Amino acid sequence: DDANELHLNVLAKLSGLLIDPQFKAKLMAASSPEEFLKMIADGEAAKDALDARYAPAATSMQPAQSAGTSPKILAVTACPTGIAHTYMAAQKLEDTAKDLGVSIKVETNGSGGAKNVLTAQEIELADAIIIAADTQVEMARFAGKRVLKTGVVDGIHKAKQLIEQAPSAPIYQPSAQEQSAPRSEGAKGIYKHLMSGVSNMLPFVIGGGILIALAFLLDDYSINPSSFGSNTPTAKFFMTIGGAAFGFMLPILAGFIAMSIGDRPALAVGFVGGAIASSGGAGFLGALLAGFIAGYLVLGLKKLFSTLPDSLEGIKPVLLYPLFGILLIGVILTFFVNPPVAALNTALNSFLTNMGTGSRVLLGMIVAGMMAVDMGGPINKAAYVFGVASIEAGNFEIMAAVMAGGMVPPLAIALASTFFKKKFTKKERGSAPVNYIMGLSFITEGAIPFAASDPLRVLPACVTGSAIAGALSMFFHCTLRAPHGGLFVLPVVGNPVMYFIAIAAGSIVGAVILGVLKKDVVEDQA
């Protein structure tokens, strides 16, 4: 788990550095591996020095405060995975604020927890707060301040607009009426609650899943095929630890979905609901339902118990909500959710297992293509969650297709910039090769700047390339027991040679289509 956390932190820092076009240009101009690594170390040191200025004891906003000519802005960025979007949005907001002469401090709620946390004094002095997040953010601390809430992608693409609009944003008041408003946001609100569960679930899924995959890699199938993964002491060691972490996946998913809806009192209710769904055969879908049911169940209990005397206010969160909430979620899951959902899961798994080659290839095309449609957005996350659910259900081919589809867009762009130079500006050619690293690391977000600048050409090329990679992965019966990792988990991929070929083929096709669709640039022909 420590190694997995280190991997996530490295990717997080790399994402923050690579959004700077000047840094990327210098990196690509490195003449030796030593110089390349030194530039990364220097860039990280410079970023750490910048972060140090924002430490609680620092006075990062004093210049603007004394000048009185610039607004003092605070921001919070957060994305479901907490790896790329979180830090890209933070870096973009900081860079844009610097260009505009605006004082800013950005708190990042990433995979390693909240960093650069906003202090009470800074909140008090701030003119406005920007919340660029797709997951739950602690909002009570911003009561009485102007708060502009939006998605994390807007922090990357609309940083200037957000900074300019923030000082005139509405005053945030965490009243009961305001707290219930997000729960009536329709599909957007449902997606936010779902992503709150997914983001908190991912560390368990990734860490546990990779350890389980290592158990299979280090085991001897011939000893006892029925207990493959636990035959040797080493394999059993990894399987025990990974299985324990992976076992928390469904309770954590349901618990934090519920908490996103009903706040802290709903966490225990959702957690128990997820555990009941897991033990009752309802699986991933049952845990999703348990999370939403638990969240709205606690909201109902809050309204029901709101008529009690104020003297009983203290026992509500420690007695009434958990007692009645856990009892009711147990009844609902046991008698009304688990039986039909378990039957549906059995039928679905049977269908997936018995699919013909053509149907499997089509499924691979669909889920892999979805990974490239919005590159980290709702459609991308839906495909990824489906892949994770398939691992939990024992079907490992779908996750392989999903990861292949997520790796192709940045790789296709990097290849296109290498072999079709006239189709890209000098600035794009300088930054695109970094997508080799992003793609091989399964960070689809590396393709976002290129897709945003030319979506009508980039998206069709990437979606086509991803769909081909997913289809070939399914055709070659490639499997993946780890839910993340890119090239780093290739040793635990089933049929790794053909999997590599599938990804390469999809990337090449995407690059060629991109080269055909994009027009030659007029500027910088030299």
Side-chain angles (χ1 to χ4, degrees), residues 72-75 126-130 145-148 165-169:
K72 298 173 285 294
I73 304 293
L74 300 180
D127 293 317
I129 292 93
I130 299 170
K145 307 299 294 187
R146 294 190 179 276
V147 177
L148 179 61
Q165 292 179 352
S168 58

Side-chain angles (χ1 to χ4, degrees), residues 403-421:
M403 192 167 81
M407 293 172 68
V408 164
L411 290 174
I413 288 171
L415 286 171
S417 70
T418 301
F419 295 100
F420 300 97
K421 296 182 181 296

Side-chain angles (χ1 to χ4, degrees), residues 180-195 260-261 292 296 378:
S180 63
R183 299 170 185 107
S184 61
E185 290 179 352
K188 184 178 179 181
I190 291 174
Y191 172 72
K192 183 176 181 179
H193 301 321
L194 173 61
M195 287 301 103
S260 177
I261 298 170
F292 284 99
Y296 290 110

Side-chain angles (χ1 to χ4, degrees), residues 28 104 114 118 124 128 130 142 176 199-200 210 283 314 349 396 427-428 437 443 467 476 482 499:
M28 297 313 302
I104 193 169
L118 307 178
E124 178 67 24
I130 299 170
F142 302 131
S199 64
N200 286 283
I210 292 178
N349 289 334
F396 308 113
K427 181 179 179 181
E428 289 174 334
I437 301 173
I443 302 178
F476 294 137
Y499 189 63

Side-chain angles (χ1 to χ4, degrees), residues 367 382-392 395-396 398-399 402 480 483:
V367 296
Y384 180 76
V385 168
F386 181 56
V388 172
S390 298
I391 292 180
E392 195 266 338
N395 188 314
F396 308 113
I398 295 174
M399 189 67 234
V402 166
L480 177 62

